[in-house]
Amino acid sequence: MTNWHHAALTPLTTLQTGPIQHLTLQAHRPVPIRQFAPDFQETWSGRKNDADKERKEERKLKYMLKKEQKGAIRELRKDAAFMAKVQLGEMREADSERRQKRKQIDALLGQQAGEMKQYTKGKKK
């Protein structure tokens, strides 16, 4: 077995001529991240006082749009609450009418039952 082992290693050791060189990545310059030139303003006094008129106008319009949307949502909620109150009132009114009719019918049936009972008693005598 050792003979076979030596026979396999001898061609490999003859190929090695010098010190072992490890694999490395290619050496190249790093690719820089693309950047855009910032818009610097020498006088900056806060977010609201923007020197750029278009940006200021856009911000103002967005604010107004948000305000209008909130107002519209508030109005829709008020309308929905009002409609719910109206519907509830109509339902209560219909229920009370139905109850009154039911009472009248029950009273009429009770009266008829009483008359029928009197009539049948009178016939038996």
Side-chain angles (χ1 to χ4, degrees):
M1 178 133 195
T2 57
N3 197 10
W4 176 80
H5 181 68
H6 285 293
L9 280 179
T10 52
L12 291 175
T13 54
T14 56
L15 289 175
Q16 184 180 3
T17 57
I20 297 174
Q21 234 179 4
H22 297 289
L23 294 175
T24 58
L25 293 173
Q26 284 182 329
H28 65 279
R29 291 178 57 192
V31 179
I33 298 172
R34 190 167 190 191
Q35 296 181 351
F36 297 101
D39 182 22
F40 286 112
Q41 297 172 357
E42 292 181 16
T43 57
W44 178 258
S45 61
R47 202 177 77 135
K48 302 245 181 191
N49 300 331
D50 199 352
D52 189 3
K53 300 274 185 200
E54 291 177 14
R55 199 167 36 196
K56 188 176 184 178
E57 186 67 26
E58 183 181 345
R59 216 178 267 139
K60 184 179 179 182
L61 289 174
K62 279 184 183 179
Y63 175 75
M64 288 172 57
L65 177 68
K66 232 184 222 185
K67 197 173 182 180
E68 287 294 321
Q69 284 178 339
K70 286 180 182 178
I73 290 171
R74 192 178 307 118
E75 287 296 319
L76 287 173
R77 284 187 184 140
K78 284 182 182 178
D79 290 346
F82 176 75
M83 291 301 293
K85 284 181 183 178
V86 168
Q87 277 185 336
L88 183 64
E90 289 174 355
M91 284 176 51
R92 284 183 178 169
E93 189 177 321
D95 287 345
S96 66
E97 287 177 11
R98 200 172 342 169
R99 271 190 239 113
Q100 284 179 348
K101 285 182 183 179
R102 173 80 184 214
K103 282 182 182 179
Q104 287 175 356
I105 291 172
D106 286 345
L108 182 64
L109 287 175
Q111 185 181 7
Q112 284 181 355
E115 288 175 1
M116 185 69 145
K117 196 172 186 182
Q118 273 186 345
Y119 180 74
T120 54
K121 276 186 180 180
K123 268 192 162 185
K124 286 183 181 178
K125 286 187 182 180

